Amino acid sequence: GAVVSQHPSRVICKSGTSVKIECRSLDFQATTMFWYRQFPKQSLMLMATSNEGSKATYEQGVEKDKFLINHASLTLSTLTVTSAHPEDSSFYICSASVGGDTQYFGPGTRLTVL
Amino acid sequence: KNQVEQSPQSLIILEGKNCTLQCNYTVSPFSNLRWYKQDTGRGPVSLTIMTFSENTKSNGRYTATLDADTKQSSLHITASQLSDSASYICVVSAGSGTASKLTFGTGTRLQVTL
């Protein structure tokens, strides 16, 4: 149980394009979803927290207009990297929670911006 | 500022040997501590979770300890296998429920060789 999927697992795009990453809780309803970014050899850094039906809460230093988060249902959240640039290349991981502090992590999405 | 420090940064051991990874934290108010295993290019997978009152928790060949007085935790891996090669991340939760915040360590990269 408590499986979280992400799609796509890997994406390569040209600079200036937008990329959408999906995060789904497959066998449970997630009241809260989290988006993390992980650079090589570094730990996960929280980007934003989103609750179903409401606006996401972004961490300090994360541009909300660049990283658009939509949490339209209890099983789906999307992260759109708008006008991506090479410095946005990273490993993006989502997690989902049912209300407590236990987070179930997705397998991650590797974004490479050329 | 909440912090989680892990040591060593990386470790290479022979298959079959044991190893111990360390985690020191300054997180308040402490809720629980988790150890995760993260394979390269994958999301973190939970190994153990310990609350304030728990001193040790086992999951197969993984045994975690917690000393809440000294704010230290360790993860001991017994009879290592090649598949244990991964990053091991110590994550400490502050607060509770929806108000909880996770602080991630930078991880220990373990490589198990023949």
Side-chain angles (χ1 to χ4, degrees):
Chain A
V3 178
V4 176
S5 71
Q6 282 185 240
H7 178 79
S9 59
R10 189 182 295 264
V11 58
I12 300 173
C13 68
K14 292 182 179 180
S15 184
T17 61
S18 294
V19 175
K20 180 185 284 188
I21 302 170
E22 290 186 349
C23 176
R24 293 181 185 272
S25 57
L26 298 184
D27 51 0
F28 66 101
Q29 292 187 324
T31 53
T32 307
M33 286 187 168
F34 305 83
W35 286 96
Y36 294 85
R37 182 167 49 182
Q38 185 178 32
F39 291 106
K41 297 186 179 182
Q42 294 187 23
S43 193
L44 282 71
M45 292 181 58
L46 180 65
M47 298 174 66
T49 302
S50 74
N51 293 294
E52 184 261 341
S54 60
K55 289 185 177 180
T57 301
Y58 291 81
E59 294 298 300
Q60 192 172 11
V62 178
E63 300 175 58
K64 62 180 182 180
D65 293 329
K66 181 167 185 63
F67 299 99
L68 301 178
I69 292 173
N70 183 279
H71 193 165
S73 76
L74 287 172
T75 59
L76 173 65
S77 176
T78 60
L79 168 68
T80 301
V81 183
T82 62
S83 186
H85 291 285
E87 58 265 29
D88 298 324
S89 298
S90 188
F91 193 54
Y92 291 85
I93 303 175
C94 74
S95 70
S97 168
V98 294
D101 65 356
T102 297
Q103 295 183 27
Y104 303 97
F105 290 88
T109 296
R110 172 76 59 194
L111 171 63
T112 302
V113 184
L114 303 176
Chain B
K1 180 182 177 183
N2 290 338
Q3 282 189 316
V4 176
E5 295 182 351
Q6 292 186 241
S7 62
Q9 199 170 47
S10 62
L11 182 62
I12 302 174
I13 63 173
L14 293 175
E15 186 182 28
K17 297 296 185 182
N18 304 334
C19 67
T20 300
L21 314 180
Q22 300 292 342
C23 173
N24 296 337
Y25 63 91
T26 52
V27 173
S28 180
F30 177 86
S31 178
N32 57 63
L33 184 148
R34 291 177 166 88
W35 282 93
Y36 285 88
K37 177 186 179 187
Q38 184 179 21
D39 292 310
T40 301
R42 307 291 293 175
V45 174
S46 179
L47 295 175
T48 63
I49 175 173
M50 287 183 293
T51 58
F52 186 87
S53 59
E54 296 176 294
N55 300 120
T56 184
K57 184 74 71 78
S58 290
N59 177 2
R61 293 181 296 102
Y62 301 104
T63 299
T65 65
L66 175 65
D67 186 332
D69 291 330
T70 62
K71 299 185 178 181
Q72 296 179 326
S73 175
S74 67
L75 180 69
H76 186 76
I77 304 175
T78 304
S80 61
Q81 300 175 359
L82 296 177
S83 58
D84 292 333
S85 297
S87 286
Y88 291 84
I89 306 172
C90 176
V91 182
V92 182
S93 177
S96 61
T98 55
S100 65
K101 275 275 201 180
L102 301 186
T103 303
F104 290 77
T106 53
T108 293
R109 289 181 165 274
L110 173 65
Q111 184 177 349
V112 181
T113 65
L114 292 171

